[in-house]
Amino acid sequence: MANTPAKGAKDTQETTSPTDELSQLREIIFGQTNREIRADLANLEAKVSDNFSKLNNQLDKQFNDMKKLIDSQIAELSTRLDSANDGHANVQSQLQSTTDKLKSELEIAETAAKNDNDALEAHVVKELDALDTLFSQRHKELLERLQQVTSELSETKTDRKTLANLLSTMATNLTSDH
């Protein structure tokens, strides 16, 4: 039995030994290549990290530049919009002022036209009344004169005969003179 434990210990040594040997063999065969690959991998990782940082910085710079450009364009558009709003407000104010002025002038013109119309109407009415009075007076005078002439003619029929003879004599005298 004494052999058995020693044999187990020897197996353990043999088992660990081949693993160690295998590791040593791997190190001898692949060690240098493995270290080069790891170094290349580390270099590649450093380059990728560096390139990623550069790309990230470049993207940040481009993003900031775009942001500045957008901000400046927004500021410019805002300034233009404010200017347009001010211009619109000025135009609206001028239009309102012109409208108020025209409305005032129209009211003044309407009042003046009404006053002129009233004055003209009063003058026309006065003139018509004067003409009516004058025509009524003349009509009355003519009627009186016609009445007088009618009464004179009807009172003296003989005067008509005398007048006819007188006219006949005058016509004869005129004919002979010619």
Side-chain angles (χ1 to χ4, degrees):
M1 288 213 181
N3 273 344
T4 314
K7 193 176 184 184
K10 194 176 186 183
D11 281 341
T12 311
Q13 283 178 352
E14 284 180 16
T15 316
T16 52
S17 288
T19 306
D20 286 339
E21 287 178 11
L22 187 59
S23 294
Q24 286 177 356
L25 186 58
R26 271 191 210 144
E27 178 60 34
I28 292 171
I29 296 174
F30 298 112
Q32 182 63 30
T33 307
N34 195 10
R35 282 189 293 277
E36 287 175 2
I37 289 175
R38 285 185 186 188
D40 287 346
L41 190 61
N43 284 338
L44 184 61
E45 186 177 322
K47 284 182 182 180
V48 166
S49 178
D50 187 45
N51 285 340
F52 183 75
S53 294
K54 286 179 182 177
L55 183 61
N56 198 15
N57 289 338
Q58 187 178 9
L59 286 175
D60 284 345
K61 184 180 182 286
Q62 286 178 351
F63 178 75
N64 287 335
D65 290 347
M66 286 176 46
K67 185 177 179 193
K68 286 178 185 177
L69 179 65
I70 288 171
D71 288 345
S72 70
Q73 287 179 346
I74 286 174
E76 182 182 343
L77 287 175
S78 180
T79 303
R80 284 184 184 176
L81 184 61
D82 289 343
S83 175
N85 283 342
D86 290 344
H88 178 70
N90 288 341
V91 168
Q92 189 173 6
S93 174
Q94 288 175 353
L95 286 175
Q96 186 63 41
S97 173
T98 303
T99 301
D100 292 343
K101 182 179 175 184
L102 289 175
K103 187 187 281 185
S104 175
E105 288 176 1
L106 180 62
E107 289 173 357
I108 291 169
E110 284 177 347
T111 304
K114 186 175 186 274
N115 291 341
D116 289 348
N117 191 27
D118 290 345
L120 182 61
E121 184 179 350
H123 181 71
V124 167
V125 167
K126 182 179 174 185
E127 290 293 320
L128 285 175
D129 287 344
L131 285 174
D132 186 40
T133 303
L134 181 65
F135 282 131
S136 294
Q137 183 182 2
R138 294 267 171 101
H139 184 260
K140 187 176 178 183
E141 288 175 2
L142 283 174
L143 283 177
E144 288 175 1
R145 179 77 179 139
L146 184 60
Q147 186 68 26
Q148 183 184 5
V149 169
T150 305
S151 69
E152 283 177 7
L153 286 177
S154 55
E155 287 177 7
T156 55
K157 287 186 178 178
T158 55
D159 283 349
R160 285 185 197 169
K161 289 181 183 177
T162 309
L163 185 58
N165 285 335
L166 181 62
L167 287 174
S168 175
T169 308
M170 284 176 62
T172 309
N173 288 341
L174 282 173
T175 325
S176 58
D177 283 340
H178 266 290

